Amino acid sequence: MRQKTNRMISEEQRQEICQRIRELRREKKYSQKDLAEILGLERSSYAYYELGRVQISIDVLCTLTQLYDVTADYILGISDERNPGKQTDQKAD
């Protein structure tokens, strides 16, 4: 019989996700209401993501990565690089 693996995230990881999505929203000067409308949610439902009461769904995560031009790894706290594959402004030789 196969044993189920519990893949719950820690409280520390949950807080990291909350902090990152809050910071990204504020950087873009969006209100929670703005984000809720973009995501097709009620404002209170979006607020639950920032408070860590609800885990972010894959659909919401994908939308946030596109909106903020960051990787899912950044939002999830796996990486501190926002978009490692993106070319930065470099002088051409």
Side-chain angles (χ1 to χ4, degrees), residues 9-73:
I9 62 172
S10 70
E11 184 59 30
E12 182 179 311
Q13 291 167 314
R14 183 183 309 274
Q15 290 306 312
E16 180 74 19
I17 294 167
C18 297
Q19 179 182 341
R20 288 192 178 194
I21 63 172
R22 186 178 313 111
E23 286 174 359
L24 289 166
R25 177 180 58 79
R26 289 177 176 167
E27 284 175 15
K28 293 287 188 178
K29 301 191 184 329
Y30 288 127
S31 67
Q32 286 184 344
K33 183 180 177 186
D34 294 334
L35 251 294
E37 288 175 6
I38 291 167
L39 297 169
L41 302 170
E42 295 292 324
R43 191 211 55 83
S44 60
S45 296
Y46 176 77
Y48 287 152
Y49 289 133
E50 287 192 9
L51 294 171
R53 292 185 183 167
V54 176
Q55 287 187 3
I56 294 179
S57 70
I58 296 294
D59 291 339
V60 169
L61 180 62
C62 290
T63 301
L64 293 178
T65 63
Q66 293 171 356
L67 181 66
Y68 297 134
D69 193 27
V70 297
T71 64
D73 283 355

